[in-house]
Amino acid sequence: MNFKVKTANLVKLKSQCLVVGIFKNPGKAKGVRLSASAERIDSSASGQLQQILNRGDVDGGVGSTLLLYDVQGISASRLLLVGLGDKEECPRNDYRKAIVAATNLLVERKIASADFAILDSVSDSHIGDYARQIAEAVHEATYRYRETQSDKKPMPELSRIGVLVNRRDTDAAQMGIDRGIAIANGVSFTKTVANLPGNICTPGYLADRARELARSHGLKVSVLEEKDMEKLKMGSLLSVSRGSREPAKLITMEYRGASQDRRPIALIGKGLTFDAGGISLKPAAQMDEMKYDMCGGASVFGALIAASEMKLPLNIVGIVPSSENLPDGAANKPGDIVTSMLGKTIEILNTDAEGRLILCDALTYAKKYDPESVVDIATLTGACIIALGHHASGLFSNSDSLADELLAAGARVDDRAWRLPVWDSYTKQLKSNFADLANIGGRSAGAVTAACFLQEFAMDYSWAHLDVAGTAWSSSSPKGATGRPVPLLVEFLIRRSEADNAGSGTS
Ligand code: BES
Ligand code: MN
Ligand code: ZN
């Protein structure tokens, strides 16, 4: 998608489709309030627009649309009215919904190029932010998974989007659009690798994609093979991969946007390219969805893509431990005891609690980078879906300030998380008769005890864990990866980079 900021005259602009906002008028039953852009068009069209709207076909509700042809007094060949709701300034999330609705209509009608004149109702200080929403929402509406269907869904014809602004707003809008594109690129990448099936998206495949990013995005990539992991004594991670014919990989991607001496933020993503449960085999129903057990890892790729395209002044290290979890003669058996890289022994009471087994060694490995903060992202527990459904990711942390940063970032971009506790009293549920820790903590509070397990390996730094089991993909309408929590992570990184700069600017 090609975006262009334009300062053109609205009524003179030759456009295949001009998109302008209308508002719902809460006072009147049928009344629609015109945005400033719509107002201008209406006066150039000698009131034709108002006349059409008086017929009451569209109410201005969020995402309502009306496509008009042959509107007088403008050079555009089509005019698309899009409802922005009844608030003075459309809230960010409604704004996105409206743009998605408008974009869907443009795609349906096979319109190749359109100009959005919908920043007119946005206050000056929000121009960049709302321009960013336009870029993100247009990408969201035009994303298509096409990798594995021979009868390929056609790509939307829509390929050029103009964004109309006042001259003084061009820089802010351009910056917002650039950010929106970077985030959308991260989200799309995450969705696509997550949607790929387990026989294509293997640990080796993910490692290859990381190596590509080294070239395309200037990341420093290294991939540890199983023999390297043996040297590092990653007995827990390796025990999961032993039951699979696909060799495990530990992928590290470094983005350096700040000076060498700045401590990095580490993002660690669970990369189970297929989780059958191992010997504690999962039931057959919906087992296909366990190809999504690498969504945490995919979100680390996505966040790094966005951060590097935005050139954020930060250092970030992304770590993706990747393996399959399958039943096999060499697989973990219930009761087996393994020794983690940290030295703690783990009694594997359920081989399906494998995510924590690979993450714990990655958490220990991360210490090598002396991280300022560590955030791990994992489709870790079905119990998290029971607790929070598909609305919020579970957030767990040993640091109140880090937890607050992540909650605020998620709320801001409508990619929400909700905090749950990691108290010692829960950790006690992980007591084992034969090892330092058991890998499960019983039926109650399953999402919490999984997080408590990870916390045992995250003692040396400020750490947070996002359980994205309920948010990383949708099982229906349409089935597919959501790209979450890339928006949350990127917002968190943006805010960190801004806080850093404010700090260094005053010192
Ligand atoms: N990847 C699953 C968690 C999961 C299940 C995510 C369903 C999304 C949907 C994880 O590896 C797992 O199997 N967890 C077990 C833990 C249990 C054995 C303590 C679970 O949630 O059932
Ligand atoms: Mn599992
Ligand atoms: Zn799993």
Side-chain angles (χ1 to χ4, degrees):
M1 195 65 59
N2 190 338
F3 286 87
K4 196 161 181 189
V5 174
K6 297 180 180 175
T7 52
N9 181 328
L10 190 63
V11 295
K12 290 197 183 140
L13 180 69
K14 288 204 171 57
S15 173
Q16 289 185 23
C17 188
L18 198 53
V19 184
V20 303
I22 51 173
F23 291 89
K24 190 170 178 156
N25 215 337
K28 304 185 210 148
K30 276 189 176 176
V32 167
R33 182 164 59 82
L34 301 185
S35 63
S37 296
E39 199 80 71
R40 268 193 64 200
I41 291 171
D42 190 48
S43 63
S44 184
S46 325
Q48 187 198 8
L49 199 56
Q50 190 63 61
Q51 249 173 40
I52 294 171
L53 287 168
N54 286 344
R55 295 178 201 163
D57 289 11
V58 64
D59 69 354
V62 174
S64 59
T65 50
L66 184 66
L67 182 62
L68 300 172
Y69 299 87
D70 302 325
V71 175
Q72 294 153 28
I74 60 171
S75 305
S77 47
R78 298 177 193 82
L79 179 67
L80 174 56
L81 303 178
V82 57
L84 297 175
D86 59 9
K87 310 266 181 340
E88 195 60 36
E89 180 172 286
C90 183
R92 202 179 284 107
N93 301 336
D94 286 347
Y95 195 71
R96 278 181 81 114
K97 275 185 210 145
I99 297 158
V100 167
T103 307
N104 285 341
L105 188 142
L106 294 168
V107 171
E108 248 166 58
R109 299 296 167 104
K110 302 197 190 317
I111 296 169
S113 132
D115 294 285
F116 283 79
I118 55 171
L119 284 169
D120 55 326
S121 53
V122 170
S123 63
D124 284 355
S125 59
H126 290 166
I127 292 289
D129 186 17
Y130 278 64
R132 168 177 152 191
Q133 305 302 323
I134 297 177
E136 287 185 56
V138 167
H139 277 99
E140 183 182 324
T142 52
Y143 173 82
R144 300 288 182 276
Y145 172 83
R146 298 157 31 101
E147 324 304 303
T148 44
Q149 277 158 331
S150 52
D151 185 11
K152 290 208 173 181
K153 286 174 226 144
M155 273 313 274
E157 250 128 282
L158 188 65
S159 63
R160 291 186 307 282
I161 301 286
V163 177
L164 271 69
V165 293
N166 293 322
R167 194 163 299 280
R168 66 166 190 280
D169 293 329
T170 46
D171 288 350
Q174 188 64 55
M175 167 128 163
I177 287 170
D178 290 346
R179 287 200 159 175
I181 293 171
I183 294 164
N185 287 343
V187 167
S188 299
F189 183 100
T190 299
K191 285 182 182 173
T192 300
V193 289
N195 283 329
L196 285 171
N199 62 329
I200 294 176
C201 181
T202 58
Y205 176 88
L206 285 180
D208 287 343
R209 297 304 302 256
R211 291 186 189 105
E212 269 171 42
L213 290 183
R215 287 189 291 274
S216 63
H217 285 69
L219 305 180
K220 186 175 160 206
V221 172
S222 70
V223 178
L224 296 190
E225 304 294 335
E226 290 188 345
K227 58 176 190 322
D228 306 314
M229 298 184 229
E230 266 154 38
K231 282 189 203 123
L232 292 167
K233 297 192 161 48
M234 296 184 167
S236 186
L237 195 170
L238 285 166
S239 78
V240 174
S241 133
R242 232 187 307 108
S244 151
R245 296 184 188 187
E246 293 291 338
K249 308 277 172 181
L250 187 88
I251 303 160
T252 303
M253 297 169 280
E254 286 174 80
Y255 164 69
R256 299 219 160 255
S259 67
Q260 207 60 35
D261 56 345
R262 271 226 61 124
R263 295 165 74 200
I265 295 168
L267 302 177
I268 305 183
K270 173 177 174 182
L272 254 295
T273 59
F274 192 76
D275 176 16
I279 297 298
S280 314
L281 191 63
K282 286 183 182 294
Q286 279 157 27
M287 207 209 270
D288 64 293
E289 293 188 9
M290 282 298 113
K291 71 175 183 182
Y292 288 120
D293 214 13
M294 37 61 73
C295 281
S299 76
V300 171
F301 279 77
L304 282 163
I305 287 170
S308 62
E309 290 187 8
M310 286 189 283
K311 301 193 171 60
L312 289 185
L314 282 178
N315 294 329
I316 309 169
V317 49
I319 303 176
V320 180
S322 184
S323 170
E324 293 181 325
N325 185 27
L326 294 174
D328 174 89
N332 279 325
K333 303 173 291 299
D336 282 2
I337 294 177
V338 298
T339 305
S340 63
M341 181 179 178
L342 191 64
K344 286 189 205 249
T345 59
I346 303 161
E347 185 182 19
I348 301 172
L349 291 173
N350 188 318
T351 67
D352 197 11
E354 85 298 336
R356 60 199 83 179
L357 294 177
I358 70 167
L359 286 168
C360 69
D361 281 344
L363 286 164
T364 305
Y365 181 69
K367 283 202 265 184
K368 146 177 169 167
Y369 295 93
D370 187 26
E372 172 181 286
S373 309
V374 177
V375 181
D376 80 67
I377 307 101
T379 49
L380 201 65
T381 66
C384 191
I385 312 177
I386 304 299
L388 297 171
H390 301 281
H391 307 281
S393 304
L395 172 68
F396 307 81
S397 183
N398 61 11
S399 155
D400 289 343
S401 59
L402 177 60
D404 288 345
E405 280 181 84
L406 291 162
L407 289 173
R412 174 66 191 263
V413 296
D414 202 23
D415 180 9
R416 301 241 254 170
W418 193 253
R419 192 172 179 190
L420 293 166
V422 275
W423 300 327
D424 287 348
S425 47
Y426 290 102
T427 310
K428 288 204 180 95
Q429 289 180 223
L430 296 166
K431 278 214 168 103
S432 156
N433 289 320
F434 305 105
D436 300 340
L437 272 175
N439 80 327
I440 54 171
R443 259 178 62 80
S444 63
V448 176
T449 53
C452 288
F453 181 95
L454 297 178
Q455 185 174 231
E456 291 297 298
F457 298 85
M459 296 293 184
D460 298 333
Y461 41 66
S462 99
W463 157 85
H465 157 61
L466 284 164
D467 192 332
V468 295
T471 52
W473 79 90
S474 163
S475 304
S476 61
S477 63
K479 184 166 177 167
T482 60
R484 291 178 70 180
V486 172
L488 179 159
L489 293 172
V490 176
E491 182 66 20
F492 161 72
L493 294 170
I494 290 174
R495 287 170 170 225
R496 267 284 167 104
S497 72
E498 284 168 356
D500 287 358
N501 283 347
S504 61
T506 51
S507 64

